[in-house]
Amino acid sequence: MTDGSYRAYLSQHYGFHCACDVCSLPDALSKVSDARLSEISQLYQEFATWGAHKITGARALECIRKIWQLEEEEGYWSERGQLAADAAWVAAAHSE
């Protein structure tokens, strides 16, 4: 769902018109943001498989690096501490 359609949904169902920075993005930028958020979600899902040994430590670190980059592009900083801790945990568990 693009932010524009999300805004329409909020307006139609709740009478709420969101004017936050994300909802105020032009459609083209909103679609780019949506794609980044979708990729971030997919990477978190893939990273979560590391504990079950479904991906290597090297791949887990690649996921973390890519998440870090995409979240930086989105302006998300709140996950930095957890991502750094996860990277340290993976690195400590592997010598790859």
Side-chain angles (χ1 to χ4, degrees), residues 33-85:
S33 175
D34 287 350
R36 271 194 299 261
L37 294 173
S38 179
E39 187 174 359
I40 289 167
S41 178
Q42 291 169 355
L43 287 163
Y44 270 116
Q45 289 175 1
E46 182 180 0
F47 174 71
T49 69
W50 171 73
H53 307 289
K54 294 188 178 196
I55 61 172
T56 65
R59 179 61 190 151
L61 291 174
E62 287 175 24
C63 289
I64 290 170
R65 284 186 194 104
K66 185 64 177 175
I67 292 167
W68 189 288
Q69 173 197 346
L70 291 168
E71 287 184 348
E72 184 171 323
E73 291 172 13
E74 270 306 295
Y76 288 173
W77 312 105
S78 63
E79 299 294 319
R80 289 282 169 97
Q82 185 61 55
L83 285 171

Side-chain angles (χ1 to χ4, degrees), residues 17 27 51 74 87 92:
H17 179 77
D27 283 342
E74 270 306 295

